[in-house]
Amino acid sequence: MNLQNHKDSILEEGFTIINDVFSVKEIEKISEAIQNIDTSKDTFRKSEDLFAIRQFLKEIPEVKDLIFNENIKKIIGEIFGDKYFVVKSIYFDKPEKSNWYVAYHQDLTISVDKKIELPNFGPWTTKQNQFAVQPPLNILENIFTIRIHLDDTDENNGALKVIPKSHSKGIYRPETIDWKIEKEEICNVEKGGIMIMKPLILHGSNRTTNGKRRRVIHIEFSDLELPEQLNWSERMN
């Protein structure tokens, strides 16, 4: 696995795709662990269109060893170095009949343990006693996201679409996208593959048209400590 070109792609384009990171057997084990959980908790969101688990690694600690296999450890170590830790994790399941559409956006908030007034931190939101805040730009620029695909994903079942290089333009309001200069790219990822992206890349997804489900584990990493008494709420080494 030559990772230098993936490292270059993340820096320049804002994302990369690496297939064959998990075996079929590993994906089955992860799926089983997810199926065996109590879904009545606050961190779970269930509707006909979407099933989501926030604080995924905290809620299902037994998946941790399955997710951080040798391939993932090597990818994180070689591309980002050994100082990075988990700061957020979510599991998304868009079922077969889901017509969930996500407009272009950047991921602009981080999950923290409390709300305190700090310069350049804000606006704040609170969901189910979880605090989220938009931090200063340097913190957002430092994060990277790994999306693990439990299903084959392409343009027919809501694969992520991105605008390459948009991660390097700071806060970029989607309504100001100039389509004369920007191009869209669909990120097809095979089952067992991953997509690595910078949260500031403009991304969205279309509705599914082929009735195939799309399950993704979304994990964010950083190597920065937050200022003063503020802590990452899901921090995990």
Side-chain angles (χ1 to χ4, degrees):
M1 198 189 289
N2 171 25
L3 295 171
Q4 187 58 47
N5 53 346
H6 290 293
K7 191 172 180 173
D8 295 343
S9 177
I10 295 162
L11 281 173
E12 288 160 31
E13 304 293 319
F15 73 103
T16 195
I17 291 162
I18 310 175
N19 285 311
D20 301 319
V21 175
F22 294 88
S23 66
V24 173
K25 200 173 192 109
E26 286 173 315
I27 292 294
E28 273 170 20
K29 281 187 174 165
I30 292 169
S31 303
E32 273 168 29
I34 295 166
Q35 272 151 4
N36 296 335
I37 48 177
D38 164 18
T39 59
S40 61
K41 293 185 184 164
D42 276 355
T43 45
F44 294 34
R45 174 176 168 191
K46 200 162 193 168
S47 69
E48 225 174 62
D49 258 4
L50 180 72
F51 174 53
I53 305 171
R54 293 179 184 284
Q55 301 194 20
F56 175 69
L57 293 174
K58 273 188 177 175
E59 291 291 0
I60 315 179
E62 61 271 26
V63 297
K64 224 165 39 197
D65 292 339
L66 301 172
I67 285 172
F68 291 100
N69 67 5
E70 289 311 309
N71 284 344
I72 278 279
K73 285 182 191 163
K74 178 177 159 67
I75 288 165
I76 293 171
E78 287 194 23
I79 294 183
F80 303 103
D82 54 10
K83 293 188 172 64
Y84 274 77
F85 44 86
V86 173
V87 295
K88 189 188 233 171
S89 59
I90 312 171
Y91 166 77
F92 293 108
D93 178 358
K94 290 189 184 177
E96 296 87 336
K97 53 183 181 293
S98 165
N99 254 334
W100 192 263
Y101 161 83
V102 181
Y104 267 111
H105 66 287
Q106 296 173 301
D107 292 342
L108 294 176
T109 64
I110 58 172
S111 296
V112 293
D113 63 336
K114 64 176 91 62
K115 181 176 179 178
I116 53 175
E117 289 308 313
L118 283 173
N120 303 318
F121 278 77
W124 289 80
T125 55
T126 311
K127 276 184 205 158
Q128 296 144 342
N129 287 329
Q130 294 180 58
F131 301 99
V133 65
Q134 184 170 324
L137 197 59
N138 69 307
I139 293 176
L140 292 172
E141 286 172 341
N142 167 267
I143 293 171
F144 72 90
T145 301
I146 293 183
R147 294 168 56 92
I148 300 164
H149 287 248
L150 306 186
D151 302 291
D152 287 324
T153 310
D154 59 25
E155 68 277 9
N156 300 312
N157 67 333
L160 217 57
K161 49 186 188 173
V162 299
I163 297 178
K165 297 184 165 65
S166 55
H167 69 298
S168 58
K169 298 180 180 180
I171 307 296
Y172 192 151
R173 298 287 167 213
E175 61 275 13
T176 65
I177 297 170
D178 182 350
W179 290 109
K180 291 195 213 55
I181 53 168
E182 302 289 21
K183 68 180 196 319
E184 175 176 287
E185 197 163 318
I186 306 282
C187 301
N188 297 346
V189 187
E190 293 168 13
K191 177 178 182 168
I194 67 171
M195 174 183 179
I196 303 177
M197 62 179 240
K198 301 297 287 176
L200 288 175
I201 195 170
L202 280 161
H203 58 285
S205 62
N206 292 338
R207 295 177 171 85
T208 178
T209 54
N210 65 0
K212 289 187 177 165
R213 74 194 291 200
R214 188 197 83 171
R215 294 167 299 158
V216 173
I217 296 166
H218 168 118
I219 306 176
E220 295 177 19
F221 299 80
S222 175
D223 67 349
L224 286 182
E225 299 303 339
L226 297 173
E228 294 185 45
Q229 311 83 23
L230 202 58
N231 300 297
W232 300 99
S233 65
E234 295 178 55
R235 178 173 183 153
M236 195 177 282
N237 291 329

